[in-house]
Amino acid sequence: MDKVRVSIAGGSGYTGGELLRLLLFHPRAEVAQVTSESLAGKFVFKAHPNLRKRTQLQFSALDDLRPCDVLFVSLPHGKSMEKMREFRALAPRIIDLSADFRLRQERDYREWYGNSHACPEMLGEFVYGIPELHREEMKRTSFISSAGCNATVTILGLYPFFKLGIVDPNRTVVEVKVGSSEGGNAPSAASHHPERSGAVRSFMPTNHRHTAEVIQELSFREAIQIHMSVTSIEMVRGALATSHVFLNQPLEEKDVWKVLRQVYGEEPFIRIVKESEGTHRYPEPKWLIGTNYCDIGFSKDEKSNRMVMISAIDNLMKGAAGQAIQAFNIMHGFEETEGLEFPGLHPI
Amino acid sequence: MAECPICGGTVNLGEDTVEGELIACADCGAELEVTGVNPLTLAEAPKEEEDWGE
């Protein structure tokens, strides 16, 4: 069986490390190169100690990148768009994990990221990278833009209800609790251990950039409004979205189960978690560490039409590298779960 | 097969199922009691209640 030759542009960060971990053991992939400007020439285990003795790969400089079948791009936001024209000459298929090609409209980059786009002609070529929403387009495209972690956990919790038009499109409030790995591997005063440890820190109460992706992907009939806040908590990996929506028709919890089954019944990485008793009644990021699952639960307020959706992921997996591998599998017609079968750890 | 009264999921039951049997729904984890076998009907099983020793 011929393997797909893949390379990773920008492989020294946490997302790059997860991509490498998954690709090294993927039965259909062969990793050709991994780049890092600061670590060029050094073994990849210098950045990713979990991969010691599992590969002899050394980091390359970006300028030394050679042609490959698929290029995963894990460069910082803003850098990817600067290099994309060069990258497309190196690889016929590209999966970009930055935010640079997630939004369809150039004006949205000015509004949400505060700068113009360096490669606007390619925005329309990329498919937004949540398979549960864009699986069929992924089978036909050469360019996929992997979705943001906070956007993914929010969108997957809300998608069935906006798709079916059964919630008020302008009254959704989302609170996302996130771990420290979302901040990347560059240290800062805010990530210094005495400051960060034990923190419950309102990181972005308003204007979080991922809001733009959520609005884009959930606006089926009209431009919707999403009111989103992000809070950093004591956790390394994980994201938990608590989304408050208001139903526009009377639904009981049994009906909500049916809606979720209707939309997600065949999805390999979506699990409905809702039990009436016991410890594990609703989704928890802790049990998803290292997995590609998105667990979704809900509770309908008996005294109003408010419904609370609870969704959880590992931000580095379903929120980044895992979802990118899922897209890679779909793009190539492989079994969607290949290389992503890990069920998580318990206890941890 | 029967429908879970809590989540509407499909509950698979063997042919030898008897009335009063306790089972669990694979989707929502609810404890269910078989309240009839022809046709098959299910109800949420009564929760264990505090026994005050009387």
Side-chain angles (χ1 to χ4, degrees), chain B residues 22-46:
Chain B
L22 293 175
I23 54 161
C25 172
D27 277 4
C28 69
E31 294 285 328
L32 305 171
E33 181 179 350
V34 178
T35 51
V37 290
N38 193 18
L40 272 169
T41 53
L42 302 170
E44 188 173 14

Side-chain angles (χ1 to χ4, degrees), chain A residues 214-329:
Chain A
V214 180
I215 292 170
Q216 172 181 283
E217 295 301 314
L218 296 181
S219 293
F220 290 98
R221 292 159 193 82
E222 68 253 288
I224 62 160
Q225 288 184 44
I226 295 284
H227 308 284
M228 186 171 168
S229 300
V230 178
T231 305
S232 307
I233 65 165
E234 181 68 49
M235 184 165 67
V236 174
R237 284 178 183 240
L240 177 84
T242 306
S243 303
H244 303 257
V245 294
F246 292 85
L247 297 165
N248 60 19
Q249 52 193 268
L251 292 182
E252 296 179 3
E253 289 203 335
K254 202 166 158 182
D255 302 315
V256 178
W257 271 100
K258 286 179 181 167
V259 166
L260 290 170
R261 283 196 191 99
Q262 177 186 337
V263 177
Y264 287 145
E266 303 299 317
E267 288 297 339
F269 292 111
I270 303 283
R271 303 187 297 195
I272 311 307
V273 180
K274 177 177 170 57
E275 296 192 38
S276 58
E277 55 191 9
T279 305
H280 309 296
R281 291 175 295 151
Y282 294 108
E284 278 189 62
K286 176 170 167 160
W287 310 126
L288 302 178
I289 289 175
T291 83
N292 197 49
Y293 288 112
C294 176
D295 284 355
I296 298 173
F298 64 92
S299 182
K300 166 74 174 56
D301 186 350
E302 291 177 1
K303 296 180 177 59
S304 74
N305 59 346
R306 180 177 67 115
M307 186 173 64
V308 182
M309 298 304 301
I310 302 131
S311 46
I313 59 170
D314 177 337
N315 57 300
L316 295 176
M317 285 294 295
K318 187 62 175 165
Q323 185 152 252
I325 299 298
Q326 190 181 353
F328 168 82
N329 289 338

Side-chain angles (χ1 to χ4, degrees), chain A residues 100-126:
Chain A
D100 288 359
F101 293 90
R102 292 176 190 157
L103 304 178
R104 294 190 197 104
Q105 304 295 330
E106 188 184 3
R107 64 172 181 271
D108 288 338
Y109 281 94
R110 285 194 292 272
E111 179 181 346
W112 289 93
Y113 288 82
N115 49 29
S116 55
H117 202 281
C119 190
E121 75 276 9
M122 284 191 73
L123 285 175
E125 294 189 64
F126 277 82

Side-chain angles (χ1 to χ4, degrees), chain A residues 16-203:
Chain A
E18 279 296 88
L19 271 176
L20 189 53
R21 177 176 72 84
L22 296 169
L23 287 167
L24 283 173
F25 301 97
H26 194 292
R28 308 290 196 113
E30 175 188 0
V31 182
Q33 285 181 288
V34 187
T35 82
S36 166
E37 300 312 286
S38 59
L39 297 172
K42 297 189 185 304
F43 285 108
V44 296
F45 69 76
K46 287 287 185 187
H48 310 302
N50 53 325
L51 301 179
R52 188 187 299 269
K53 291 253 183 186
R54 305 311 303 258
T55 174
Q56 293 300 306
L57 273 170
Q58 293 169 283
F59 286 112
S60 306
L62 199 57
D63 285 345
D64 295 332
L65 205 53
R66 295 186 297 274
C68 58
D69 298 325
V70 178
L71 181 64
F72 288 87
V73 182
S74 190
L75 294 172
H77 303 316
K79 297 289 181 197
S80 184
M81 63 172 83
E82 290 173 7
K83 305 289 285 184
M84 195 52 71
R85 292 186 191 94
E86 295 171 43
F87 290 156
R88 76 179 301 173
L90 289 173
R93 287 174 163 168
I94 293 175
I95 299 175
D96 181 39
L97 285 86
S98 80
D100 288 359
F101 293 90
R102 292 176 190 157
L103 304 178
R104 294 190 197 104
Q105 304 295 330
E106 188 184 3
R107 64 172 181 271
D108 288 338
Y109 281 94
R110 285 194 292 272
E111 179 181 346
W112 289 93
Y113 288 82
N115 49 29
S116 55
H117 202 281
C119 190
E121 75 276 9
M122 284 191 73
L123 285 175
E125 294 189 64
F126 277 82
V127 170
Y128 187 73
I130 298 187
E132 289 77 5
L133 278 68
H134 296 290
R135 181 172 285 111
E136 292 308 311
E137 295 154 84
M138 285 180 172
K139 291 175 184 172
R140 299 188 295 269
T141 190
S142 299
F143 302 103
I144 290 175
S145 175
S146 225
C149 46
N150 298 326
T152 296
V153 71
T154 302
I155 289 168
L156 288 174
L158 296 175
Y159 170 63
F161 306 96
F162 281 86
K163 181 180 169 64
L164 298 177
I166 55 180
V167 291
D168 185 328
N170 297 317
R171 288 181 73 198
T172 300
V173 176
V174 183
E175 156 71 16
V176 189
K177 295 175 184 68
V178 303
S180 57
S181 62
E182 282 202 7
N185 67 351
S188 69
S191 68
H192 185 47
H193 184 266
E195 304 295 336
R196 182 63 177 83
S197 180
V200 181
R201 182 182 296 160
S202 282
F203 164 62

